[in-house]
């Protein structure tokens, strides 16, 4: 299905040269001058559109596609049907993402500050920024070139945004310093007070003032309604390229390396440290103060209660190496099957 | 306890005929002309109020109620105390909900557009809409008759809302087409970019442009701070009557049938498909690309890692049929009891 | 690391007497007149700063600190290095929190109502309140003395806030009555409709009107993007001092005692009752209608499916007493180890 032009304006048609330049693919044969109107899935693309096929499991769809061109790995080039151009690349999915962005580039900042926006004293707005209706920029905040603030976005006092940041509708950020190209999706919360307090002898709680910041590296993305608390002492730090999905929670003083991925509803408790390229599955949790090493992967719903060595995949709650978790599931399955078959072993009451 | 009139204005008193018409119940005996002021629980209702009793477990409260009338199934009609009208219906709870709405109808749209609202170029606002302070309606958006936008609601460019939709305070919706009577509770996020990207050989991530929409069927409700991402290719679709509780996550390209129920903090990963009348318990998760059949029920905190056949109840992480999950819990309980009793079996270190 | 003065204005320097008064500590020796500039961690504090050490595990850092003074328990007073004042107190962490607040008091309300704020008819704004840009206060709402509403905060019709409440950016509250010093962090949702509805014979859902309120006791705090639904009949009640972390869900008619703590992403289903000082770990869930007794503690990711007696610690899903949960984990670990070692016991397919 082609993208609905009411929602996704199209930058096209694009000549084959632009397609090759953006995708990094090479064309087989000598197709001459061609133009394309957009991208679409194999089954839906027409002669004006480009699609992709990244493996043999889609070869059947490839054989019957009506697409004008298909991004394929070299191993599939021979299976591109007649009349369809083979655009050969090592990473068809990646090349497709780049082509999709060629035809549907994210709307650039319009360079206008809506008259209803409130800009605090001493704030510095870089050239070419777009500031939407009812956005609020605090005193002394600094926005780099070409930032976009959506409607109702709130940027707190003294916050620094690097060039090309996008703060979508209803997102708020305070006590934070951001690199270039940081994106906060709608309703994301960055820089609010962390969850720190101490009990008095009388049973009251006294808040520990949270005196650190949030530092977001270049190209960090924070999902819709996700939360990143500022540090208590020292800072909460998300390394460059790190991406948080919706509704993720990051506690105070957490630190991640570069290009970590936290899937929806995952949570990382205070002062945990993640290395580079760590992946945390959906609804998984990491206990505070732990260390998760480089390229470790934490499965969905896992509960990490110990350090995870670099390169290790863990699963389960409490989380253990994936192979052990799988063994455990299989053992339980066998025990359940045995209890179902042998009446003397049948549990007397299934009461839990 | 009667509803606090400062917060819940009352449409009453109502004559018995209106009560019978709204509830679909039949009155026993010939009560003559009566009026009622509202609804309340059995233990708190007075002679001006109507209550309900849906089963024998509340029969004790029924026996001593001071309510003026009680909705009951036929089987309990004889146990309604003297002086209290028996309103007989097959579904007393449902009838009570309808009566509560008779006395406390959701406030209708006031037909006013607050002067601070920002309406984009080419937007079409249906007759009788209410648009609250600081609401923002994008260019070319279309609102059906009698919609309500709360304070700070944001409706994106080209979004279509059917008649009678309600977008509560701080909710945002973009890239979406909605049927009639759709409700977004405060802070709900609909239509933002899904979580899709590909790694480059250098370890950067490139966003896959998310070029699909969200389609919400008639009467779909999205809970407070819940998130529904738009499709990547193709659309994210929630069938008519589907209800999401607070803080639920729905990934890109998820599709549900009609009248599905997703309880608070549940998550459904990208491209999963749910049939009709599927129920997902609180904090449960469904892995991407799976199929959950009609009327299947997923228990709280379950982790669905395989397709679930229609009509099946599953529980546990990984999720298995409920009976097997229960057996498993019982087996673990027995093993724990045994280890507690026999010292030679006692684990040496309780270290995990 | 000292707090960044761009984000955390400092109220200082402070004389030793003020430090002693605020912290409740006693100074060893006769230091004469001294002044301090702020607080910092042991490893980072300089001669103008005060730090704390609450146990022997930090004694090494204590031995080499350059801090001008350190809060310590009496047992560590002798280990405070020469040139550094020993400030003796039974609870160094608590005393430190109070000192941090002495040097960095939360900014007081500025007493100004931003001209863009919308104040409903009949609303009563107490003396000294601060109301930020684009905040909306409903008709007949009442704000006590010295409340702060952040940018875009929305307070619904007839809502009552006691003195000193803070409603941060983008938070919304309706159908609620709050004590003194209540704090809603950014994006918190309080008072929206709970998740209650009944199926019709035709498979539609009919909403049960939610006619109760939310009552928040003194000093209750609701984390960023957390949700507290109003009661269905009767009220949702959070006892004085109760604190909810980010993204927590509290269903309709839940009641808690005083000083409960719900860690991030925890969920409590409708009508559950928590006693005083209950702690619910991150991502844990409590089934509806259950009772969790005073001082019970529910571990992270636990799934409470039965009442929890007072003073009991539970863990696991389904939750069991912590010792049993630990035993269970150890048993599973041993079973996995055995299956790894004995080939005849090896599971044939690790297929779950």
């Amino acid at each position: 299905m082609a993208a609905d032009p009411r929602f996704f304006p199209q930058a096209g048609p694009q000549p084959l040269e632009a397609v090759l330049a953006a995708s990094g693919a090479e064309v087989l044969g000598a197709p001459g001058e061609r133009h394309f109107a957009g991208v679409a899935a194999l089954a839906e693309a027409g002669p004006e559109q480009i699609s992709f096929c990244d493996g043999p499991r889609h070869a059947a769809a490839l054989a019957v596609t009506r697409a004008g061109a298909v991004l394929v790995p070299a191993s599939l080039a021979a299976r591109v049907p007649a009349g369809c151009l083979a655009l050969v690349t090592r990473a068809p999915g990646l090349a497709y993402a780049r082509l999709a962005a060629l035809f549907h580039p994210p709307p650039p900042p319009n360079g206008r500050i809506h008259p209803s926006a409130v800009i605090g004293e001493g704030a510095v707005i870089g050239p070419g920024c777009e500031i939407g209706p009812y956005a609020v920029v605090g005193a002394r905040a600094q926005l780099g070139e070409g930032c976009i603030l959506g409607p109702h976005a709130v940027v707190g006092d003294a916050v620094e945004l690097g060039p090309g940041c996008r703060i979508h509708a209803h997102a708020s950020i305070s006590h934070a310093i951001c690199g270039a190209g940081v994106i906060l999706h709608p309703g994301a919360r960055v820089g609010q007070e962390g969850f720190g307090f101490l009990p008095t002898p009388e049973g009251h709680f006294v808040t520990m003032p949270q005196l650190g910041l949030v530092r977001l590296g270049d190209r960090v993305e924070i999902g819709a309604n996700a939360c990143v608390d500022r540090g208590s002492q020292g800072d909460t730090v998300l390394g460059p390229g790190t991406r948080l999905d919706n509704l993720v929670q990051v506690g105070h003083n957490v630190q991640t390396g570069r290009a970590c991925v936290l899937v929806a509803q995952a949570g990382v408790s205070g002062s945990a440290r993640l290395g580079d390229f760590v992946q945390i599955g959906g609804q998984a949790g990491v206990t505070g103060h732990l260390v998760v090493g480089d390229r470790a992967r934490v499965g969905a719903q896992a509960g990490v209660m110990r350090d995870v060595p670099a390169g290790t995949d863990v699963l389960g709650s409490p989380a253990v190496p994936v192979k052990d978790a799988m063994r455990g599931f299989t053992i339980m399955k066998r025990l359940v099957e045995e209890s179902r078959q042998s009446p003397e072993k049948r549990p007397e009451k299934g009461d839990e």
Side-chain angles (χ1 to χ4, degrees), chain A:
Chain A
M1 187 160 25
D4 186 326
R6 294 173 299 170
F7 294 93
F8 303 97
Q10 222 148 315
Q14 297 282 351
L16 178 59
E17 304 87 73
V19 165
L20 297 177
S23 65
E26 289 180 24
V27 64
L28 287 199
E33 202 164 309
R34 290 284 298 270
H35 282 78
F36 295 93
V39 294
L42 271 182
E44 283 132 11
E48 309 255 287
Q49 290 169 320
I50 305 174
S51 193
F52 79 106
C53 178
D54 59 1
R57 71 196 160 120
H58 297 122
L62 176 59
V64 298
T65 188
R66 295 175 50 248
V70 180
L71 295 153
V72 285
S75 59
L76 287 175
R79 298 167 79 167
V80 173
C84 171
L85 285 185
L87 307 178
V88 176
T89 169
R90 255 181 287 189
L94 178 61
Y96 185 80
R98 288 176 159 149
L99 279 193
L102 173 70
F103 287 104
H104 304 283
N110 66 18
R112 287 199 294 268
I113 299 180
H114 194 276
S116 66
V118 172
I119 312 290
E121 216 173 321
V124 178
I125 310 295
C129 285
E130 168 178 347
I131 301 190
Y134 303 123
V136 174
V137 177
R140 295 166 292 114
Q142 299 178 40
L143 275 64
E145 183 172 352
C147 288
I148 299 180
L149 304 191
H152 301 101
V154 172
V155 176
D157 292 352
V159 165
E160 297 178 16
L161 301 182
C165 291
R166 296 182 178 225
I167 312 294
H168 284 283
H170 294 290
S172 58
I173 181 166
S174 69
H175 305 88
I177 293 175
C178 299
V182 166
I183 299 178
L184 269 59
H185 291 283
R189 308 284 161 219
V190 173
Q192 59 283 339
E193 192 176 293
F195 200 57
F197 47 88
L198 294 109
T200 67
E202 301 79 33
H204 289 301
F205 294 130
V206 171
T207 296
M208 175 67 81
Q210 303 286 303
L211 301 175
L213 304 181
V214 172
R215 291 178 189 271
L216 301 182
D218 293 345
R219 302 176 315 280
V220 163
E221 297 202 14
I222 310 294
N225 285 350
C227 298
V228 180
D229 288 345
R230 70 175 182 262
S232 171
Q233 285 197 322
D235 299 330
T236 304
V237 180
L238 300 185
T242 291
R243 295 199 180 203
L244 274 54
D245 199 352
N246 301 340
L247 296 166
V248 163
Q249 155 71 1
V250 170
H252 51 191
N253 294 88
V254 166
Q255 304 211 1
T256 84
R258 51 191 282 248
C260 291
V261 174
L262 282 72
V263 179
Q265 298 173 317
V268 180
S269 296
S271 301
R273 278 184 293 137
L274 276 54
D276 294 334
F277 305 105
V278 170
Q279 297 184 15
I280 310 284
Q283 299 182 333
V286 177
T287 303
H289 297 272
L290 296 185
V291 175
V292 180
D294 292 349
R295 295 182 193 275
R297 294 189 299 183
V298 174
Q301 294 192 333
V304 176
M305 302 187 187
R306 301 181 153 198
D307 289 352
V308 178
T312 308
D313 292 356
V314 298
L315 187 60
S317 179
V320 295
V322 162
K323 278 192 181 173
D324 287 345
M326 291 297 192
R327 265 182 225 271
F329 300 155
T330 307
I331 288 167
M332 275 311 296
K333 196 180 165 188
R334 200 170 47 204
L335 289 174
V336 165
E337 274 163 17
E338 285 168 12
S339 97
R340 207 193 287 133
Q341 285 154 17
S342 51
E344 77 277 17
K345 282 194 182 171
R346 189 172 299 160
E348 279 127 46
K349 346 177 277 174
D351 62 352
E352 195 81 38

